């Protein structure tokens, strides 16, 4: 019984008319050409269906053509010289066929073919991903990752708490009792309990609430990984959470750039090739050049940063990188005192570098990082006072990854040294400067081993153990980590993760007070005898990651955490639980995210939920949407809402807040634990968390692509309306009981319209 291919071949023969040779000679002379078109089907049993991506090879002597079928199995080969052509159709998993067709001059031949299914047996394939291998360059973090950064930015502190300045100022010796007005309040949370890394360098206070610029330039970032619990064992520290930020690889084909400026801010981003590698250079600043146009006075916020990354090597040989980062932020405080003219300021300096390569199947990476964080806070009453802190970090890590069966084995080690210098300075009645200084140092060394692999058809397990030694505590601390992942469907993953974390805890107020009091009469002494304590946290997290629709992704996490050994909460059981919800959509015309977190914190002296348990909570919302209205215009909207974020009190003198009776606070309960900043205590202050703030930013932009000097560029004019609608997102607050029973915001920004232009080439 003939098959379908032979029948089609016979039919094709009917297309050849008599006198073919004579016709060919005539058509060649006239220069007319023909075409072959048709469809390719796949056959399985008695069923036939269009076969996309089939390859058709057409040959006639030394003349060869190749075409492919589209998604409906259609193909068309034009410009064929008249004559006999051999057409061969092939597709993986099907038997190929070949037929001969006579193409008439100036005519068309319709040829349909059906390929019989023949599956190709292949052995099982194991796919391994080596996480330490060089990542592909990325234009910017995903919409989901930018949502993570925006959500964490809402809870970030000003850095004064992280720097320990609240303890320093609260403990200044030799001053009289202050009035309630001598209390400076700062908005802040999650201080000192998180670990934020930028290319391996620890960064303090990367987030700010001013709202004029993003926390990081999205164009310079390559990714952001958030771990609320069960982080890989290579991470040490991070009692609250770990956020691992990476700058992106520069494009090396040619020099590229982005320039943008509006009435208050400016940014620049350059990238291009270097011998054997590439570079990325970015800088941003608040310049205030447009304030005369706005007629609102100078902005109380100042910000500058600089990011430089260099890379060399490639995937076929050893590669390396070097990243430098510097930023400084300041806020001018309007308290009617000349000593506040400089305002509060803080910033980072960081340098990190790494080498990576392969030794056979083993991937190896070595990183080193130096970082410094400095903060300065002038406070005053009748006499000026100044507080300053500086934290230096040295961090070295080595990580190795090797395939093991169907999984991967990872080994590594880390060394992290920290040196914190706290200084308080005051001017006595005679005008002499009196300074006291406290220096704290600590070193952490650790090793880890971790493995991952499948444990069932749809289950995989990652389990590891860290062993750390802290110079100030002696002995070793064990930190087990595990994450069990269940592939529910092709689009849904459920993960159960648990882990233990250790890190140095901030020095307590009592230690600072005792040390500074001892050194108050000795202007040359430096206190170095205090010991840093080691905090511990246990995390349990359940998360669901699901692709709802193409481009639409849902992330849901619930967690329970408990803390011990945290400075300022000795003898108490500190706990936290909450839920994080993240929805992100990425598309060509529309992208956006919604992030929401609700967290409860409680502390008890009598165990879990004892009768004396104290509760506090917060919830945060971050959302963003960007869409194109047409090919040349679009809009972007971002919303941030925070409620329950705590105040950090900074009395200007010792015991300033020990007995404050504030109007309008009768019957209000006071918590020593507010937000997830477990170190945030305001003794005797009956000021609870602020009722919240709402920030909305809207932008309408245009997009044009002119060609300049033969190169296509992009111009993007925009108009932005920003800051808080109810003006409650100020960083600093002051308490004036005769004006208002609640704190009064300092250095707040009004609603501002900003006109700007971006140029991308």
């Amino acid at each position: 019984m003939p098959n379908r291919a032979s029948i089609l071949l016979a039919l094709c023969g009917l297309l050849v008319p008599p006198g073919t040779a004579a016709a060919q000679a005539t058509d060649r002379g006239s220069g007319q050409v023909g075409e072959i078109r048709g469809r390719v089907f796949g056959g399985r049993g008695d069923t036939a269906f269009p076969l996309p991506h089939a390859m058709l090879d057409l040959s006639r002597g030394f003349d060869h053509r190749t075409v492919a079928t589209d998604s409906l199995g259609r193909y068309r080969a034009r410009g064929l010289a008249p004559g006999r052509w051999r057409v061969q159709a092939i597709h993986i998993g099907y038997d190929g066929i070949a037929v001969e067709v006579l193409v008439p001059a100036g005519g068309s031949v319709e040829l349909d073919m059906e390929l019989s299914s023949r599956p190709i047996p292949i052995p099982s394939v194991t796919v391994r991903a080596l996480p330490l291998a060089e990542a592909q360059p990325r234009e910017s973090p995903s919409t989901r990752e930018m949502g993570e950064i925006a959500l964490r930015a809402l809870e970030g502190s000003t850095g004064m708490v992280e720097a320990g300045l609240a303890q320093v100022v609260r403990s200044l010796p030799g001053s009289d009792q202050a009035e309630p007005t001598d209390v400076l309040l700062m908005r802040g949370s999650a201080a000192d309990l998180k670990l934020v890394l930028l290319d391996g360098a620890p960064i303090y206070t990367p987030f700010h609430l001013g709202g004029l610029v993003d926390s990081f330039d999205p164009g310079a970032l390559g990714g952001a990984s958030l771990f609320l619990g069960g982080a890989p064992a290579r991470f040490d520290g991070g009692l609250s959470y770990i956020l691992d930020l990476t700058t992106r690889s520069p494009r090396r084909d040619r020099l590229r750039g982005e320039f943008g400026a509006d009435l208050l801010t400016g940014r620049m981003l350059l990238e291009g090739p270097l011998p054997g590698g590439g570079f990325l250079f970015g800088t941003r600043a608040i310049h205030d050049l447009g304030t005369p146009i706005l007629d609102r006075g100078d902005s109380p916020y100042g910000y500058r940063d600089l990011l430089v990354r260099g890379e060399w090597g490639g995937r076929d040989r050893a590669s390396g990188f070097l990243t430098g980062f510097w930023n400084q932020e300041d806020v001018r405080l309007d308290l009617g005192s000349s000593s506040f003219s400089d305002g509060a300021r803080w910033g980072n300096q960081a340098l990190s570098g790494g080498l990576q390569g392969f030794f056979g199947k083993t991937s190896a990476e070595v990183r080193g990082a130096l970082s410094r964080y400095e903060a300065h806070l002038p406070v005053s009453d009748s006499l000026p006072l100044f507080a300053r802190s500086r934290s230096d970090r040295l961090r070295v890590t080595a990580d190795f990854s090797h395939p093991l069966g169907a999984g991967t084995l990872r080994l590594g080690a880390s060394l992290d040294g920290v040196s914190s210098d706290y200084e308080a300075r005051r001017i006595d009645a005679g005008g002499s400067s009196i300074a006291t200084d406290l220096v704290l140092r600590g070193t952490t060394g650790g090793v880890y081993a971790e493995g991952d692999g499948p444990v069932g058809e749809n289950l995989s397990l990652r389990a590891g153990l860290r062993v750390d030694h802290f110079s100030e505590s002696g002995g070793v601390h064990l930190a087990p980590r595990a994450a069990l992942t269940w592939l529910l469907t092709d689009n849904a993953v459920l993960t159960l993760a648990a882990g233990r974390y250790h890190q140095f805890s901030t020095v307590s107020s009592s230690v600072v007070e005792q040390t500074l009091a001892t050194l108050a009469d000795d202007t040359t002494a430096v206190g170095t005898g205090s010991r840093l304590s080691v905090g511990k946290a246990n995390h349990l997290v359940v998360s669901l990651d699901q692709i709802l629709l193409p481009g639409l992704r849902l992330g849901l996490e619930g967690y329970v955490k408990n803390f011990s050994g945290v400075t300022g909460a000795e003898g108490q059981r500190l706990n936290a639980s909450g839920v994080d919800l993240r929805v992100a959509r990425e598309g060509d015309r529309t992208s956006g995210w919604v992030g929401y977190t609700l967290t409860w914190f409680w502390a008890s002296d009598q165990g879990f939920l004892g009768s004396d348990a104290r509760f506090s909570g917060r919830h945060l919302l971050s959302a963003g949407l960007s869409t194109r209205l047409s090919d040349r215009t679009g809009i972007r909207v971002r919303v941030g809402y925070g409620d329950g974020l705590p105040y950090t009190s900074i009395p200007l003198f010792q015991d300033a807040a020990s007995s404050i009776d504030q109007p309008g606070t009768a019957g209000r309960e006071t918590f020593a634990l507010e937000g997830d900043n477990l170190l945030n205590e305001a003794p005797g202050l009956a000021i609870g968390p602020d009722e919240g703030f709402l920030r909305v930013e809207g932008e309408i932009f245009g997009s044009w692509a002119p060609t300049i000097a033969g190169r296509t560029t992009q111009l993007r004019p925009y108009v932005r309306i920003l800051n808080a609608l109810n003006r409650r997102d100020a960083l600093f607050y002051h308490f004036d009981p005769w004006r208002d029973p609640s704190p009064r915001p300092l250095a707040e920004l009004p609603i501002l319209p900003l006109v700007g232009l971006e140029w991308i080439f």
Side-chain angles (χ1 to χ4, degrees):
M1 181 177 180
N3 59 22
R4 293 170 180 168
S6 61
I7 295 175
L8 291 173
L9 181 60
L11 292 175
C12 291
L14 298 177
L15 298 174
V16 183
T20 301
Q24 283 182 294
T26 302
D27 291 335
R28 288 194 191 98
S30 63
Q32 294 180 335
V33 294
E35 68 175 21
I36 301 176
R37 62 184 179 182
R39 302 182 72 183
V40 177
F41 297 88
R44 186 178 296 116
D46 295 331
T47 304
F49 45 86
L51 191 61
H53 311 306
M55 300 298 297
L56 291 94
D57 180 73
L58 297 87
S59 59
R60 181 177 182 267
F62 293 101
D63 194 358
H64 287 267
R65 307 288 179 87
T66 301
V67 295
T69 60
D70 61 14
S71 60
L72 298 178
R74 299 172 300 190
Y75 74 94
R76 189 171 190 175
R78 299 177 178 178
L80 302 179
R84 193 177 298 275
W85 284 80
R86 184 177 186 271
V87 181
Q88 182 180 15
I90 59 174
H91 194 289
I92 295 177
Y94 294 85
D95 286 328
I97 62 173
V99 298
E100 286 191 351
V101 180
L102 183 63
V103 178
S108 175
V109 176
E110 187 167 349
L111 175 64
D112 294 342
M113 291 179 283
E114 182 177 323
L115 308 184
S116 299
S117 174
R118 189 177 73 174
I120 301 174
I122 59 174
S124 60
V125 177
T126 300
V127 179
R128 299 186 181 94
L130 298 178
L132 298 180
E134 180 185 9
Q136 292 291 334
R138 296 177 55 181
E139 294 298 317
S140 62
S142 66
T143 302
R144 177 183 60 85
E145 292 169 327
M146 287 307 300
E148 297 280 14
I149 295 176
L151 190 61
R152 299 301 145 185
L154 292 178
E155 65 181 2
S157 71
T158 63
M160 300 302 161
V161 180
E162 287 186 307
L165 291 189
Q167 290 91 328
V168 171
V169 179
R170 186 180 295 143
S171 306
L172 283 172
S175 301
D176 298 330
Q177 180 82 12
E179 296 297 327
T181 55
D182 297 325
V183 178
L184 183 65
L185 301 172
M186 295 183 304
R187 173 89 75 169
S189 184
D192 205 58
L193 298 179
K194 62 182 180 293
L195 174 66
V196 179
L197 299 174
L198 179 64
D199 284 352
I203 301 295
Y204 291 84
T205 318
F207 308 127
H208 37 85
L209 300 179
L212 288 173
V213 294
D214 291 322
S215 299
F216 286 99
D217 188 348
L221 282 182
S225 300
L226 174 68
F227 301 99
L228 296 178
R234 65 187 179 92
F235 291 105
D236 57 322
L239 297 188
S240 180
Y241 66 82
I242 297 171
L243 184 60
D244 188 24
L245 303 172
T246 57
T247 55
R248 69 173 175 85
S249 298
R251 291 171 289 184
R252 307 180 184 183
D253 56 339
R254 61 177 176 84
L255 180 65
R256 300 172 180 266
E258 299 180 19
F259 296 89
D262 55 41
L263 297 178
L264 291 181
T265 67
R267 67 180 282 265
M268 178 177 67
L269 185 66
L270 293 173
E271 60 183 315
L274 288 175
F279 77 94
L280 181 72
F281 173 87
T283 182
R284 301 179 301 165
I286 297 177
H287 54 68
D288 278 352
L289 297 179
T291 52
I293 300 176
L294 295 172
D295 194 25
R296 302 288 183 89
D298 293 340
S299 165
Y301 291 97
Y303 184 80
R304 298 157 295 280
D305 70 12
L306 179 66
L307 176 67
V308 181
R309 178 183 175 95
E311 285 187 355
W312 62 91
R315 285 186 295 273
D316 57 343
R317 61 186 189 277
S319 60
F321 76 91
L322 188 66
T323 301
F325 175 70
W326 170 86
N327 77 326
Q328 182 171 303
E329 187 170 5
D330 56 80
V331 176
R332 186 177 65 252
L333 303 178
D334 182 17
L335 285 175
S337 173
S338 60
S339 65
F340 280 92
S341 58
D342 291 337
R345 63 179 184 270
W346 57 95
N348 291 276
Q349 305 169 49
L351 180 66
S352 63
L355 294 171
Q356 60 183 15
F358 287 88
F359 301 92
K361 295 183 178 181
T362 301
S363 173
E365 181 179 46
V366 178
R367 287 190 177 191
L370 289 169
S371 63
R372 168 173 290 183
Y373 177 77
E374 292 185 282
H376 178 82
L377 179 66
V379 292
S380 71
D381 183 60
S382 57
L383 297 175
L385 305 169
F386 301 90
R388 180 193 62 82
S389 76
R390 185 182 68 199
S391 293
D392 294 318
R393 296 281 293 270
L394 169 63
R395 184 179 176 87
V396 180
T397 61
D399 301 280
F400 304 89
S401 177
H402 185 81
L404 184 63
T408 305
L409 174 66
R410 298 179 180 86
L411 302 172
S414 63
L415 180 66
D416 193 345
V418 57
S419 175
S420 298
D421 184 353
Y422 304 88
E423 178 184 294
R425 182 182 297 272
R426 64 186 179 89
I427 309 298
D428 63 13
S432 301
S433 174
I434 301 177
T436 55
D437 198 13
L438 171 62
V439 179
L440 298 171
R441 295 186 176 92
T443 303
T444 306
V447 296
Y448 75 89
E450 184 176 68
D452 65 66
V455 293
E457 183 177 356
N458 295 315
L459 292 175
S460 62
L461 176 67
R462 186 192 73 231
L465 177 67
R466 282 197 64 89
V467 180
D468 293 302
H469 171 73
F470 292 83
S471 61
E472 297 298 302
S473 65
V476 296
H477 297 262
L478 303 181
R481 312 275 175 85
L484 181 65
T485 301
W486 180 16
L487 184 63
L488 300 176
T489 68
D490 291 341
N491 296 322
V493 176
L494 182 67
T495 302
L496 175 64
R500 175 173 294 175
Y501 306 83
H502 299 91
Q503 73 174 67
F504 280 126
S505 184
T506 296
V507 60
S508 66
S509 300
S510 59
V511 171
V512 177
E513 181 177 353
Q514 180 181 3
T515 305
L516 295 185
T518 303
L519 302 173
D521 297 329
D522 187 350
T523 59
T524 62
V526 176
T528 58
S530 301
R531 296 171 62 90
L532 291 170
S533 63
V534 178
K536 181 178 71 175
N538 296 311
H539 297 178
L540 178 63
V541 179
V542 179
S543 63
L544 174 66
D545 192 2
Q546 183 173 5
I547 299 176
L548 302 177
L549 295 171
L552 182 63
R553 187 169 178 175
L554 167 69
L556 181 64
E557 290 183 288
Y559 53 85
V560 178
K561 306 176 183 180
N562 66 71
F563 306 84
S564 61
V566 177
T567 303
E570 293 82 355
Q572 293 183 330
R573 290 180 59 93
L574 305 178
N575 307 275
S577 64
V579 62
D580 267 31
L581 171 66
R582 298 178 297 278
V583 179
R585 186 193 187 283
E586 298 185 52
D588 295 333
R589 296 184 65 90
T590 302
S591 298
W593 78 82
V594 175
Y596 177 76
T597 177
L598 173 64
T599 308
W600 284 98
F601 309 88
W602 66 94
S604 174
D605 296 327
Q606 300 179 1
F608 187 79
L609 291 181
S611 59
D612 62 339
R614 295 167 295 169
F615 287 86
S616 180
R618 70 147 202 277
H619 59 122
L620 305 170
L621 172 68
S622 173
L625 175 68
S626 178
T627 184
R628 286 191 171 274
L629 302 176
S630 67
D631 292 338
R632 292 188 175 182
T633 60
I635 60 173
R636 187 180 72 166
V637 179
R638 293 193 294 186
V639 178
Y641 175 76
D643 198 0
L645 291 178
Y647 289 124
T648 297
S649 66
I650 303 183
L652 304 192
F653 295 103
Q654 182 182 7
D655 299 329
S658 60
S659 58
I660 300 178
D661 184 16
Q662 298 172 6
T665 59
R668 184 184 300 178
E669 187 175 1
T670 303
F671 300 133
L673 173 65
E674 295 174 349
D676 63 349
N677 174 11
L678 305 179
L679 311 177
N680 186 21
E681 296 189 25
L685 277 176
I687 301 178
D690 188 62
E691 61 188 60
F693 65 85
L694 173 66
R695 179 190 302 147
V696 176
E697 173 190 329
E699 177 180 298
I700 181 168
F701 60 87
S703 180
W704 282 265
T707 300
I708 301 177
R711 177 179 296 181
T712 300
T713 64
Q714 182 180 354
L715 292 177
R716 186 180 180 274
Y718 63 88
V719 178
R720 293 172 60 197
I721 304 294
L722 71 142
N723 209 353
L725 293 183
N726 57 358
R727 303 174 67 177
R728 293 183 180 274
D729 68 337
L731 291 172
F732 294 90
Y733 294 77
H734 196 230
F735 181 64
D736 296 330
W738 58 86
R739 295 182 180 177
D740 197 302
S742 60
R744 177 173 60 90
L746 301 174
E748 59 182 345
L749 282 174
I751 297 177
L752 295 175
L754 300 180
V755 180
L757 176 66
E758 289 185 347
W759 176 39
I760 303 173
F761 63 89

